[in-house]
Amino acid sequence: MGSPYTLAAATAIFVGTYVLMSFRNLGRFPLDRPAVALLGGALMLLAGVLTPQQAMGAINLDVILLLVGMMLLVSGLEVCGFFDLVSTRIAE
Amino acid sequence: MVATAFLSALVLNDAIALLMTPIVVRSAKSLKVKPVPYLVALALAANIGSVATEIGNPQNAYIAIASGIPFLTFTTILLPVTLVLLTVGIGLVWLAFRKDLAAPLERADHLPPVHLERNGLAVTLGIAFGVVAAFFLSTPAWLPVIAIVGGALVFFFVPFLTKATPRALVTKVDWSIVLFFVGLFVLLEGVQVSGLSDRIEEGFTMAFGGRSGGLVWLTGLSAILSNLISNVPAVLLLAQVVPAGSNQLWLALASSSTLAGNATILGAACNVIVVQIAAREGVEVSMKDFVKAGLPVTIATLVLSTAIIALLVPA
């Protein structure tokens, strides 16, 4: 359990981040969800809610490795023309 | 949509979303139809299909380890559930987009010539089949290892066989998805460490009338939390309150957290992937279009799955 300060800070950052994430843009400035999420994470660190160790430990490497591995595989299929082949087959 | 759900059951749904989105966008373009209904259907089907097995999605893989339910038990209960849900889901997507889908298919005048790298494709497909086969034979803990080994093999060998440079392969990886996950993981750790997640949990417990509801209470809580903080962290959080050995509650947690993710774009990782990759292909899927089909599908599938699990599995 955190102190009242960390609870308040975390609540403000969490709510702010999720509200921002539900917008596509802010006025004439475009908003990117990954950027908003990353900023929220950085604010958790800056506000002292998390120690750097806690932040590093929170990053689920299993998920990241799975994604990067599969995306490399997909980009391999793409440069070899696999998706063009399948989509023309479906279209025919 | 059926094919997507089938594949999603067998492989992680996020991977299927990655694989299928470019195919759907390009097929729709060459058929001159609006890609958005098909993309929404793809995301919804990938989620529904992923409920069927323990390797369907990351939260199921986590539940597999935490609950110790054998692969076969899990599948024999949730596969029939998934088939029912999928039928309902297809019907509801058609209803939501019936105007767009009613337009007759118009054949593209001429299809762009396909540039194939035969040797590279043979090797890459070989690696892809190897990865899928290994997924089948392995435990959930091995999935990331298998994926990164497959990715590394492609990264290393494909530049030998094609004109693509390693650099070109790396730039095709959607790093913004990776950064999105990194940001969310850190953000949600803050929510957890600060005690905010406990407060949220307490609030919902009181709102749902304490422990009395059991199955219904857990389903509702996981549905709401999944949309609030996405399904993987919702499952990690709720796993703390599910008693060991209660197959009914574990299976309800698995299905409800995933199905709830269909309500909005942010509800599930695979929705985010579909939308992001579609954007890269030049197609914008709006929140409004997604929710139009996603919300009815979510409500219908949640009610059905809870009823079926309550009937099939003793508490």
Side-chain angles (χ1 to χ4, degrees):
Chain A
M1 265 301 200
S3 66
Y5 161 73
T6 53
L7 182 61
T11 309
I13 296 166
F14 174 69
V15 172
T17 309
Y18 266 68
V19 168
L20 272 185
M21 259 194 274
S22 60
F23 292 122
R24 297 289 305 164
N25 43 45
L26 204 64
R28 59 195 171 86
F29 301 104
L31 273 183
D32 195 33
R33 290 199 193 93
V36 174
L38 216 51
L39 181 69
L43 285 177
M44 286 287 185
L45 269 170
L46 272 180
V49 177
L50 291 174
T51 65
Q53 286 79 10
Q54 282 172 320
M56 290 303 287
I59 298 167
N60 189 331
L61 263 186
D62 281 356
V63 176
I64 306 284
L65 285 180
L66 186 66
L67 278 171
V68 172
M70 289 312 290
M71 286 195 287
L72 277 172
L73 213 89
V74 172
S75 59
L77 287 172
E78 192 182 334
V79 298
C80 296
F82 178 71
F83 295 121
D84 295 332
L85 182 72
V86 175
S87 60
T88 40
R89 282 290 149 80
I90 292 174
E92 271 167 13
Chain B
M1 193 168 171
V2 176
T4 304
F6 177 71
L7 288 170
S8 295
L10 298 181
V11 194
L12 283 169
N13 64 345
D14 297 350
I16 295 306
L18 280 172
L19 284 161
M20 294 289 288
T21 306
I23 298 182
V24 169
V25 172
R26 284 170 210 183
S27 304
K29 273 182 187 161
S30 56
L31 283 171
K32 290 186 176 171
V33 294
K34 280 186 195 157
V36 171
Y38 297 95
L39 288 172
V40 174
L42 166 70
L44 300 182
N47 275 322
I48 296 174
S50 78
V51 173
T53 71
E54 287 182 345
I55 54 163
N57 56 47
Q59 62 271 26
N60 281 14
Y62 171 80
I63 288 172
I65 297 166
S67 70
I69 298 174
F71 195 91
L72 193 63
T73 314
F74 192 98
T75 310
T76 45
I77 294 165
L78 286 186
L79 183 63
V81 174
T82 304
L83 292 177
V84 173
L85 301 182
L86 197 60
T87 317
V88 175
I90 291 173
L92 288 174
V93 169
W94 187 82
L95 266 179
F97 290 112
R98 60 190 176 282
K99 277 181 206 140
D100 295 324
L101 294 177
L105 292 185
E106 187 182 328
R107 188 168 296 276
D109 301 334
H110 63 96
L111 298 167
V114 178
H115 174 70
L116 273 187
E117 299 268 9
R118 292 191 181 279
N119 293 338
L121 186 57
V123 169
T124 313
L125 278 179
I127 295 169
F129 281 122
V131 165
V132 173
F135 279 166
F136 263 116
L137 299 170
S138 69
T139 55
W142 279 92
L143 299 182
V145 180
I146 295 162
I148 200 71
V149 168
L153 288 174
V154 168
F155 191 22
F156 187 79
F157 285 111
V158 166
F160 289 157
L161 300 164
T162 68
K163 275 175 270 173
T165 58
R167 176 96 203 135
L169 283 172
V170 173
T171 51
K172 281 186 187 298
V173 171
D174 192 344
W175 295 103
S176 72
I177 291 177
V178 174
L179 290 178
F180 192 21
F181 274 95
V182 170
L184 282 178
F185 283 140
V186 175
L187 182 71
L188 291 167
E189 181 73 4
V191 170
Q192 203 143 18
V193 167
S194 68
L196 176 58
S197 59
D198 294 334
R199 294 296 173 88
I200 295 172
E201 207 177 321
E202 279 166 23
F204 281 121
T205 311
M206 288 197 322
F208 281 87
R211 284 170 293 148
S212 58
L215 179 66
V216 175
W217 169 77
L218 184 73
T219 304
L221 193 53
S222 102
I224 293 168
L225 272 182
S226 292
N227 273 302
L228 211 58
I229 61 175
S230 90
N231 41 23
V232 176
V235 165
L236 299 190
L237 198 66
L238 288 171
Q240 320 299 325
V241 300
V242 175
S246 173
N247 284 9
Q248 189 193 58
L249 290 183
W250 279 114
L251 294 173
L253 181 59
S255 63
S256 62
S257 61
T258 304
L259 295 173
N262 272 339
T264 67
I265 291 176
L266 278 176
C270 111
N271 305 351
V272 176
I273 292 171
V274 167
V275 172
Q276 297 266 347
I277 293 189
R280 236 176 13 152
E281 301 269 334
V283 176
E284 194 70 32
V285 181
S286 70
M287 194 62 129
K288 189 174 133 254
D289 276 336
F290 198 97
V291 173
K292 190 166 77 174
L295 196 60
V297 168
T298 302
I299 294 168
T301 53
L302 269 177
V303 171
L304 265 174
S305 72
T306 310
I308 299 174
I309 289 172
L311 283 174
L312 286 181
V313 192

